[in-house]
Amino acid sequence: MASFKMGKMVMRSLFGKPATLMYPVKPAKITEATRGHMTIDVDTCIFCGICQKKCPTNAIVVDRKGRVWSIERMKCIQCNACAVSCPKDALLMETTYTAPSAVKITDTFQGPPKEEKAPKAAAAEA
Ligand code: SF4
Ligand code: SF4
């Protein structure tokens, strides 16, 4: 009985369709839940650096002074930990994949300049 089952498995493996797709030759199946690539609304980001700390692969670098957020695409494993931990909901998992590449891709997003706080005396006069 066991050998019959094994034979069936071998025949299925030999003549069945592969479980994988020939991506990128054939387009990938995209659903609402597909984890494609991480994106940021850099205008909402406060450059706190939490996402960088939470990222298990060190794909994210946050330059607090320069207000720059960057991600090394090939390091990202689409775990979504950064988006879950962001206090401003600035990160979003898009459903489309990063294009295959032979070189490492780093995407950099420049945030707007920090708003200067008005001096206390001036604020009191207003
Ligand atoms: S956790 Fe959110 S707000 Fe903080 S640096 Fe990352 S993207 Fe910006
Ligand atoms: S999805 Fe995961 S691996 Fe990718 S940048 Fe966010 S925390 Fe890092």
Side-chain angles (χ1 to χ4, degrees):
M1 192 67 183
S3 59
F4 175 72
K5 271 188 182 174
M6 192 178 283
K8 208 172 153 187
M9 263 172 54
V10 169
M11 294 305 275
R12 202 183 304 139
S13 300
L14 284 174
F15 301 108
K17 278 187 179 175
T20 52
L21 289 173
M22 287 285 286
Y23 180 80
V25 179
K26 287 187 179 176
K29 282 180 194 166
I30 306 280
T31 70
E32 268 181 35
T34 299
R35 291 184 179 185
H37 74 279
M38 186 53 64
T39 189
I40 183 171
D41 175 5
V42 79
D43 293 342
T44 307
C45 176
I46 54 170
F47 301 93
C48 62
I50 293 173
C51 54
Q52 180 180 336
K53 284 189 191 133
K54 292 285 178 181
C55 179
T57 61
N58 298 323
I60 296 174
V61 175
V62 179
D63 174 0
R64 300 177 85 165
K65 260 192 164 179
R67 301 178 67 76
V68 176
W69 187 94
S70 58
I71 181 167
E72 201 178 307
R73 294 288 178 200
M74 303 310 172
K75 274 189 179 175
C76 177
I77 55 169
Q78 283 81 32
C79 67
N80 213 36
C82 52
V84 170
S85 62
C86 176
K88 301 298 281 182
D89 290 332
L91 297 170
L92 180 73
M93 184 64 76
E94 294 279 358
T95 54
T96 51
Y97 295 119
T98 303
S101 169
V103 290
K104 289 178 181 173
I105 302 166
T106 301
D107 285 338
T108 302
F109 300 82
Q110 175 70 58
K114 197 173 183 179
E115 282 174 27
E116 295 293 332
K117 278 186 186 168
K120 275 187 181 171
E125 282 172 25

